[in-house]
């Protein structure tokens, strides 16, 4: 008898992630006495080619529309006395909820916010929140602690390869390198330029043929077959380049530095979510339009390897590999009716007004958006310069500056500010900057942040001299700085400003103040 019926997407278009989650979860359920059956698309490839595990998997008998398939599940729940249904599909969830109703607990993986009536909703993306339409009685498990995998964590701080770094290039279980041909050619060019060996993961004969005919392979570069060990293969490499998917989470867990990118404009992956896990080398569609984006990102990965590993190990620590066990425990509660711990995601209360906090790697994408805003660029020393994402990450990792954010009462970013110490000769200087995070009025927040920054630096950098450069047309900020005790700079501070802020010219007013 089947206790849990799982429906997951599995096709060349959907990739392997949905199926792998369900296989791992089914194995965990089996260890708790629940027998599972996984149903996949009627034309799905042979799962045994990609995954190992003693789990029953069947194809849907024929091509059905999503509503008709939901009706099939509804009938099967009644005839087979199914105790729980798990849905891991982007296209079928709303129909499953409607067809099953309250007759059997429905569990779903939902990172699109579609769920409304499921008994248990899981979204393992960083910062996940319950779907807006989710009924109050539903339970929600949110955040990376609920990522499902059979891969173990493996922190490391050194190169895997003894002779030179090695990179794995892949295109998921589909092996469709041709869908991003330009990106994969750029990966190989960058590997050659940075003296990094490359392995190409080829799950099909077609992918092997494409790589052989389209990539400039060197002596030592290899074409390797798909491994049914799954994500553990990533731990054998220093760098892994491929699409943002389930495999990216497993790369983070294995301690390899990922270079990831979207495969289409419809993907919802966002830099802030990955940055919160310590992954700073994710490229979206806009990034990929930049000249040499892949080449600059891989060069950055090699040059900043130690700093990236440090950020990665801290951010990805929440990926502990216990997601399947946590979810299986919740399903046992649903199927037995036993009281369980309330695992609804805690929603933060409204933050204090004018909350100021230090910033970490998870804030880097928001800083980048603010730094590249047209108004901020227009008032900078290099107004025509476009700051790319790799350049911003390099600045973030290279510059030992104090970085802070001030928030609106609703918790959204109001502004960012930074400061840094530098000695010129025998004189210690402080310099920094601030910029708005949006178009919302922030005058009160700016006054608060400047007061806080001056007080903070007076305590931590006694005897230093502040130097500020401000566009002469920015009269409000000039007046505000003078209100804060800044005065016209003397010859020494004016000379220092041109060292601290390269590109400073007569367009800028130079002010100074004792810290």
């Amino acid at each position: 008898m089947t206790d849990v019926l799982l429906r997951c997407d599995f096709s060349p278009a959907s990739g392997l992630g949905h199926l792998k989650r369900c296989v791992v979860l089914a194995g965990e359920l089996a260890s708790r006495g629940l027998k599972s059956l996984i149903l996949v698309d009627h034309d799905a490839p042979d799962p045994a080619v990609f995954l190992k595990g003693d789990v029953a998997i069947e194809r849907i008998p024929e091509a059905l529309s999503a509503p008709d398939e939901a009706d099939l599940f509804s009938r099967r729940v009644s005839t087979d006395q199914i105790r729980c249904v798990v849905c891991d599909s982007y296209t079928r969830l709303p129909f499953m909820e409607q067809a099953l109703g309250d007759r059997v607990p429905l569990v779903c993986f939902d990172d699109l916010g579609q769920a409304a009536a499921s008994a248990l909703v899981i979204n393992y993306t960083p910062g996940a929140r319950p779907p807006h339409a989710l009924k109050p009685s539903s339970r929600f498990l949110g955040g990376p602690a609920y990522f499902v995998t059979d891969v173990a964590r493996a922190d490391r701080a050194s190169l895997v390869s003894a002779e030179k770094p090695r990179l794995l290039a892949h295109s998921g279980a589909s092996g469709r390198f041709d869908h991003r041909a330009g990106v994969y050619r750029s990966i190989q060019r960058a590997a050659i330029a940075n003296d990094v060996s490359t392995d190409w993961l080829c799950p099909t004969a077609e992918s092997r043929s494409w790589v052989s005919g389209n990539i400039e392979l060197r002596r030592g570069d290899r074409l390797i077959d798909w491994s049914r060990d799954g994500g553990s293969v990533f731990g054998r490499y220093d760098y892994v380049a491929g699409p943002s998917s389930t495999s990216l989470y497993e790369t983070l867990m294995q301690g390899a530095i990922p270079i990831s990118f979207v495969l289409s404009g419809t993907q919802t992956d966002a830099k802030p979510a990955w940055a919160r896990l310590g992954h700073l080398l994710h490229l979206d569609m806009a990034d990929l339009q930049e000249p040499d984006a892949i080449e600059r990102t891989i060069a950055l990965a090699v040059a900043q390897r130690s700093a990236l590993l440090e950020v990665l190990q801290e951010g990805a620590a929440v990926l502990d590999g216990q997601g399947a066990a946590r979810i299986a425990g919740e399903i046992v509660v649903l199927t037995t009716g036993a009281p369980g711990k309330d695992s609804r995601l805690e929603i933060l209360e409204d933050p204090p007004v004018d909350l100021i906090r230090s910033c970490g790697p998870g804030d880097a994408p928001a800083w980048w958006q603010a730094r590249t805003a047209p108004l901020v660029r227009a008032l900078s020393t290099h107004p025509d310069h476009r700051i790319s994402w790799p350049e911003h990450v390099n600045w973030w990792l290279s510059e030992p500056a104090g970085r802070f954010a001030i928030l609106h009462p609703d918790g959204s970013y109001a502004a960012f500010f930074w400061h840094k110490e530098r000695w010129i000769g025998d004189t210690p200087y402080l310099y920094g900057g601030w910029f708005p995070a949006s178009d919302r009025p922030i005058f009160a927040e700016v006054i608060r942040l400047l007061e806080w920054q001056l007080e903070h630096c007076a305590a931590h950098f006694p005897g230093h001299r502040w130097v500020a450069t401000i566009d002469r047309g920015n009269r409000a900020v000039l007046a505000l700085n003078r209100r804060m005790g800044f005065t016209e700079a003397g010859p020494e501070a004016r000379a220092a400003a041109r060292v601290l802020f390269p590109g400073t010219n007569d367009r800028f007013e130079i002010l100074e103040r004792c810290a």
Side-chain angles (χ1 to χ4, degrees):
M1 184 183 78
T2 299
D3 298 300
V4 181
L5 193 61
L6 300 96
R7 172 63 172 103
C8 73
D9 292 333
F10 180 46
S11 69
S14 65
L16 188 63
H18 302 275
L19 178 61
K20 178 167 185 181
R21 273 193 296 275
C22 288
V23 167
V24 174
L25 179 58
E28 187 66 37
L29 290 170
S31 71
R32 298 165 187 254
L34 294 176
K35 185 177 180 180
S36 300
L37 172 64
I38 300 174
L39 294 179
V40 297
D41 301 86
H42 78 285
D43 57 351
D46 181 4
V49 173
F50 299 95
L51 294 172
K52 61 182 181 180
D54 186 21
V55 177
I57 301 175
E58 294 181 5
R59 294 182 178 91
I60 299 289
E62 58 182 318
L64 297 173
S65 67
D68 288 343
E69 187 180 300
D71 289 339
L72 173 67
F73 266 70
S74 179
R75 294 192 298 272
R76 191 154 183 173
V77 162
S78 298
T79 58
D80 295 357
Q81 299 182 323
I82 303 297
R83 300 167 65 186
C84 180
V85 173
V86 176
C87 180
D88 190 350
S89 169
Y90 287 136
T91 59
R92 291 163 174 81
L93 176 58
F95 303 99
M96 286 282 195
E97 288 188 334
Q98 184 176 1
L100 296 177
D102 295 327
R103 291 186 301 114
V104 65
L106 176 61
V107 176
C108 70
F109 289 89
D110 177 30
D111 59 352
L112 298 182
Q114 300 181 90
S118 297
L120 179 65
V121 180
I122 303 135
N123 181 355
Y124 55 77
T125 59
R129 292 293 184 268
H132 293 299
L134 190 63
K135 64 182 182 181
S137 60
S138 299
R139 297 160 73 83
F140 179 80
L141 307 180
Y146 297 102
F147 175 66
V148 175
T149 184
D150 55 357
V151 172
R153 280 194 57 82
D155 292 331
R156 63 172 191 251
S158 60
L159 291 171
V160 171
S161 311
E163 297 179 359
K164 66 178 181 179
R166 184 165 288 275
L167 178 146
L168 176 68
H170 73 95
S171 188
S174 70
R176 294 305 302 266
F177 294 107
D178 56 312
H179 284 182
R180 274 282 179 209
V183 168
Y184 287 105
R185 291 189 183 100
S186 295
I187 288 171
Q188 184 68 356
R189 284 196 299 269
I192 293 172
N194 291 277
D195 195 27
V196 176
S197 298
T198 313
D199 284 0
W200 292 82
L201 183 59
C202 300
T204 64
E206 291 79 8
S207 60
R208 180 177 286 268
S209 175
W210 188 91
V211 172
S212 298
N214 291 274
I215 297 299
E216 181 188 349
L217 298 173
R218 302 158 291 172
R219 183 178 181 180
D221 292 344
R222 302 178 299 187
L223 306 185
I224 63 173
D225 294 326
W226 184 267
S227 170
R228 294 202 306 159
D229 290 334
S232 59
V233 69
F234 304 125
R236 304 168 196 165
Y237 293 88
D238 303 296
Y239 308 100
V240 175
S244 50
S245 60
T246 300
S247 60
L248 179 48
Y249 284 90
E250 293 176 336
T251 299
L252 295 171
M253 292 180 66
Q254 288 287 289
I257 293 177
I259 298 95
S260 65
F261 45 85
V262 295
L263 290 177
S264 70
T266 60
Q267 281 186 268
T268 58
D269 299 326
K271 284 186 177 68
W274 293 122
R276 291 175 68 168
L277 288 175
H279 172 35
L280 297 178
L281 303 183
H282 175 67
L283 303 176
D284 57 27
M285 288 298 289
D287 297 319
L288 292 175
Q289 305 307 313
E290 295 278 340
D292 303 324
I294 289 288
E295 287 88 344
R296 284 182 286 138
T297 302
I298 290 180
L300 173 64
V302 174
Q304 292 279 13
R305 175 177 171 77
S306 296
L308 287 166
L309 273 177
E310 183 177 345
V311 170
L312 175 66
Q313 290 177 7
E314 180 177 351
V318 67
L319 293 168
D320 61 3
Q322 299 302 307
R326 295 183 179 102
I327 295 168
E330 296 285 342
I331 291 176
V332 168
V333 170
L334 286 174
T335 57
T336 62
K341 171 185 168 183
D342 183 6
S343 51
R344 177 177 291 274
L345 179 72
E346 293 184 6
I347 306 299
L348 296 176
E349 299 296 330
D350 289 338
V353 175
D354 291 346
L355 178 66
I356 293 177
R357 63 168 176 81
S358 61
C359 291
D363 300 296
W367 273 70
W368 179 60
Q369 292 292 336
R371 290 183 73 201
T372 56
L375 178 60
V376 173
R377 297 312 311 152
L379 297 175
S380 70
T381 51
H382 299 282
D384 297 326
H385 178 59
R386 166 78 168 91
I387 301 173
S388 68
W389 175 244
E391 179 186 348
H392 175 71
V393 173
N394 188 57
W395 172 78
W396 190 276
L397 297 173
S398 301
E399 294 288 339
R403 299 184 181 95
F404 303 86
I406 185 167
L407 308 181
H408 287 297
D410 64 2
S412 61
Y413 294 115
F416 302 107
F417 59 103
W418 61 275
H419 52 254
K420 186 178 177 182
E421 171 192 39
R422 181 170 176 179
W423 286 72
I424 299 178
D426 296 328
T427 304
Y429 287 95
L430 279 174
Y431 63 110
W434 66 270
F435 32 85
S438 69
D439 294 332
R440 293 172 60 178
I442 59 167
F443 189 73
E445 285 84 357
V446 170
I447 292 177
R448 176 74 182 97
L449 78 82
L450 289 176
E451 290 176 340
W452 185 93
Q453 187 176 41
L454 293 174
E455 181 180 342
H456 173 85
C457 290
H460 291 82
F461 302 98
H464 288 54
R465 294 172 66 183
W466 272 104
V467 173
T469 61
I470 303 167
D471 189 293
R472 294 181 187 276
N474 200 350
R475 298 182 181 278
V477 174
L478 279 169
L480 183 58
N481 275 264
R482 289 191 172 101
R483 172 180 167 179
M484 295 292 176
F486 283 84
T487 60
E488 184 174 351
E492 185 179 352
R494 296 183 71 82
R498 287 174 168 79
V499 176
L500 301 173
F501 298 99
T504 298
N505 54 35
D506 292 340
R507 187 164 63 92
F508 294 89
E509 188 82 26
I510 302 175
L511 305 177
E512 68 173 314
R513 180 189 189 277
C514 291

